[in-house]
Amino acid sequence: MTVLLDLLKNDPRERMQRQRHPEKANRPDTPIQSKPAWIRVKAPGSAEWAETKRIVRENKLVTVCEEASCPNIGECWAKKHATFMIMGDTCTRACAFCNVRTGLPGPLDADEPDKVAEAVAKLGLEHVVVTSVDRDDLADGGAAHFAATIAAIRVASPGTTVEILTPDFLRKKGALETVVAAKPDVFNHNLETVPSKYLTVRPGARYFHSVRLLQRVKELDPQIFTKSGIMVGLGEERSEVLQLMDDLRSADVDFLTIGQYLQPTRKHHAVVRFVPPEEFEAYEKVAYAKGFLLVSATPLTRSSHHADDDFRRLRERRRQQAATAIEPAALPEDRN
């Protein structure tokens, strides 16, 4: 079971009165297109989903599933899969695709790493994903907080594997090294889109910095699985997606996820195109041909969707790859 939760001090209902995206308030409305049949999902409402919701509310937690308007919330919460989003609910950046609240975040909760670790241990998780908002206001971008959370989980639940989904730590010297030294099992950092779309979709980030970040993880610790994801439907060209795959393989990234961009509100970037399932299947085949250990490419793919199952597959494929590499070479024929 994989759980990703956002541990916050206050009841989330109290925060709903604050404006979620003040920087987008004056943008013109963009019509939200009707979703095609392959995007639609069942509305949540199972008994298991209700139980997960009850636990979240009773413990005054906020989930990234809700904050980011994930379409898979019904499926995941029915399986009691959710995600830990640390360092608050307010991001210092204002990406055009993201529904997480933006503004000036509050101070870090020094007890949060232990709270996360305690929750992981109580839930008996085999695999946990920890993500965060961007914290450009912090000298290290929150790197030490990530490291402390990983360390706390290791102490409280030694058998749990840890996956992190980090910001880019742009202009934060030594931040990446701090996180890698904590030895997460999977290091995920999403490129989100192709480089030509960064100015309009992800203006606070730098494409090649993000690629280099992932490459540097492998240089520091080759045993850590690296992972990255993108959205399609933002106006990118197929050739750009294929080039992005090459860039990630040059950085020795193991796992690629590709999903359909869905517009959270009329103030966010418009969906330029709904990509049909067969194109996702084609992307998956090409990505495997380029050498990724694992690829997930479907309209509803999201970074942490099925993370526990995917981690087991990653480990098995690395094991198979290693076994193939050490097979003895065929002996030359005896010519005597």
Side-chain angles (χ1 to χ4, degrees):
M1 178 169 52
T2 302
V3 175
L4 295 84
L5 301 173
D6 179 1
L7 276 74
L8 302 174
K9 296 180 181 179
N10 302 315
D11 190 313
R13 288 167 292 187
E14 296 176 2
R15 296 192 307 277
M16 294 308 291
Q17 296 176 2
R18 300 188 346 233
Q19 191 173 3
R20 179 175 284 268
H21 302 292
E23 81 294 340
K24 295 181 174 71
N26 295 322
R27 291 184 182 179
D29 286 357
T30 303
I32 298 179
Q33 300 181 46
S34 178
K35 297 179 181 67
W38 63 80
I39 289 290
R40 294 170 188 164
V41 294
K42 291 182 179 179
S46 67
E48 294 79 9
W49 173 85
E51 174 66 6
T52 301
K53 183 177 180 179
R54 182 188 65 79
I55 292 170
V56 168
R57 294 291 181 265
E58 285 185 355
N59 289 280
K60 298 184 178 180
L61 305 177
V62 177
T63 67
V64 73
C65 318
E66 293 176 295
E67 292 293 312
S69 303
C70 181
N72 300 314
I73 188 171
E75 175 194 350
C76 293
W77 280 28
K79 297 177 181 177
K80 295 193 176 178
H81 293 185
T83 298
F84 286 105
M85 189 167 79
I86 59 176
M87 295 191 277
D89 71 335
T90 303
C91 187
T92 54
R93 298 191 191 174
C95 295
F97 66 87
C98 186
N99 199 39
V100 172
R101 190 184 310 278
T102 58
L104 182 62
L108 294 179
D109 177 1
D111 295 328
E112 185 175 50
D114 289 332
K115 292 177 183 177
V116 173
E118 182 181 356
V120 170
K122 284 182 176 179
L123 290 166
L125 303 181
E126 295 180 7
H127 187 78
V128 62
V129 183
V130 179
T131 188
S132 80
V133 290
D134 272 288
R135 291 298 303 256
D136 295 315
D137 59 310
L138 301 174
D140 68 348
H145 205 72
F146 261 108
T149 302
I150 296 167
I153 293 171
R154 298 290 190 213
V155 172
S157 187
T160 301
T161 50
V162 181
E163 178 173 335
I164 57 172
L165 171 55
T166 76
D168 60 15
F169 302 120
L170 188 62
R171 303 184 185 92
K172 307 294 183 181
K173 187 176 181 180
L176 177 65
E177 289 76 6
T178 296
V179 178
V180 172
K183 293 191 175 296
D185 297 281
V186 181
F187 190 108
N188 185 6
H189 172 65
N190 288 333
L191 294 185
E192 307 295 4
T193 188
V194 299
S196 69
K197 300 300 174 186
Y198 262 52
L199 285 178
T200 54
V201 174
R202 198 181 175 215
R206 302 293 179 268
Y207 175 82
F208 287 106
H209 170 81
S210 287
V211 174
R212 175 59 182 152
L213 183 91
L214 290 159
Q215 183 180 44
R216 182 67 178 144
V217 173
K218 281 292 189 183
E219 293 172 354
L220 292 168
D221 190 340
Q223 292 305 305
I224 294 177
F225 289 105
T226 49
K227 177 177 176 181
S228 190
I230 64 166
M231 303 166 289
V232 290
L234 286 159
E236 70 289 330
E237 298 291 336
R238 182 175 184 274
S239 59
E240 293 181 294
V241 176
L242 301 187
Q243 180 61 57
L244 178 146
M245 291 181 188
D246 288 337
D247 293 341
L248 288 177
R249 286 304 302 135
S250 295
D252 202 21
V253 170
D254 299 300
F255 185 6
L256 172 65
T257 63
I258 306 176
Q260 170 70 52
Y261 167 64
L262 298 176
Q263 184 179 351
T265 74
R266 294 178 182 275
K267 300 295 185 182
H268 286 78
H269 195 294
V271 174
V272 177
R273 175 172 174 256
F274 286 108
V275 179
E278 57 267 23
E279 291 190 30
F280 282 96
E281 292 173 8
Y283 278 139
E284 180 178 312
K285 290 177 181 177
V286 171
Y288 274 124
K290 289 180 180 291
F292 288 98
L293 270 182
L294 194 63
V295 182
S296 178
T298 72
L300 290 172
T301 289
R302 295 298 182 265
S303 292
S304 302
H305 197 205
H306 301 151
D308 49 353
D309 293 335
D310 287 337
F311 179 71
R312 285 191 286 270
R313 293 165 66 197
L314 271 173
R315 279 198 301 196
E316 177 59 21
R317 290 187 181 181
R318 176 179 281 178
R319 187 196 66 76
Q320 292 173 352
Q321 190 179 67
T324 302
I326 63 175
E327 285 181 359
L331 297 175
E333 293 183 9
D334 187 357
R335 296 186 181 182
N336 297 326

